[in-house]
Amino acid sequence: LVAREFPRNLLAIASGVYGAGDRLYGVNRETGRELWRPIELRRIINEKPRVFTVRRLIDAGSTLVAPIRSNRDSALVGFDKASGAIMWERPIRNLMSKDTLAVAGHVLYFQEQPEPTASGEIGGPYVLRAMDLNSREILWSYSRTARENWSFGDLTPIDNGLWSTHYSVLLKLQ
């Protein structure tokens, strides 16, 4: 692996150093050796196999989770840490940006933005969802109806809760 090939998007954890862009990389932290050869990231988009770009990786136990977006769709993708193979994919209607994801335990938290109206205005509330990483089922959804319809911002798991930067609030998880 040549250093200049390694992407800027890095995740360094005990099991290795992982990186992504339009390829997925994995390196053993102790030896510096590749865990697998770089993998070009492809999926079916508009009925054709296309390369997609990963802008963030999240540590989720035995998998790495990445949000992916294109003009027409978005999804959460789970990659096996040992091989780099895609283990699962879950379409998400309007997944928000890369910083709106967090993992606590076996639960992935993410946000969906509302569909825009015909005039381009925000069409409804932002929704915070919790997804079980084992079954990939949605456990719950929460939306805050307020005069100002803001997203929850960046999410950070803290002390059995989620810190929301936009609301400066700790959501306690029970």
Side-chain angles (χ1 to χ4, degrees):
L1 182 65
V2 178
R4 70 177 178 274
E5 293 176 2
F6 214 74
R8 293 182 196 174
N9 174 11
L10 296 176
L11 174 64
I13 53 179
S15 60
V17 178
Y18 303 91
D22 60 359
R23 295 181 188 274
L24 184 67
Y25 300 85
V27 175
N28 182 301
R29 276 183 82 143
E30 293 178 13
T31 67
R33 294 182 188 209
E34 293 177 338
L35 295 171
W36 61 80
R37 302 277 309 144
I39 299 168
E40 185 175 58
L41 301 173
R42 294 184 158 271
R43 67 188 286 263
I44 302 298
I45 299 173
N46 299 328
E47 300 178 12
K48 293 183 179 181
R50 300 192 192 274
V51 173
F52 65 90
T53 300
V54 169
R55 301 195 191 296
R56 183 173 184 203
L57 292 170
I58 308 279
D59 180 17
S62 62
T63 60
L64 300 167
V65 176
I68 59 170
R69 292 183 60 150
S70 68
N71 291 340
R72 298 185 137 196
D73 65 352
S74 56
L76 293 167
V77 178
F79 298 97
D80 179 52
K81 282 183 185 174
S83 68
I86 293 177
M87 301 302 293
W88 54 264
E89 181 176 334
R90 187 170 200 301
I92 303 295
R93 190 170 188 158
N94 285 314
L95 186 65
M96 293 232 359
S97 73
K98 62 184 176 65
D99 296 325
T100 61
L101 298 170
V103 171
H106 292 287
V107 179
L108 174 70
Y109 301 92
F110 65 93
Q111 296 177 69
E112 287 182 274
Q113 59 191 9
E115 292 278 346
T117 63
S119 65
E121 296 178 16
I122 300 290
Y126 287 85
V127 179
L128 177 63
R129 299 197 192 278
M131 182 181 83
D132 182 290
L133 283 165
N134 295 323
S135 67
R136 285 167 302 289
E137 295 295 319
I138 300 299
L139 300 172
W140 54 261
S141 300
Y142 173 75
S143 61
R144 182 171 183 255
T145 54
R147 185 180 315 216
E148 295 152 356
N149 187 21
W150 295 348
S151 77
F152 291 87
D154 297 350
L155 300 173
T156 305
I158 298 174
D159 190 30
N160 296 318
L162 286 176
W163 178 256
S164 164
T165 58
H166 282 191
Y167 290 107
S168 296
V169 65
L170 181 64
L171 304 169
K172 289 303 266 183
L173 306 173
Q174 309 243 344

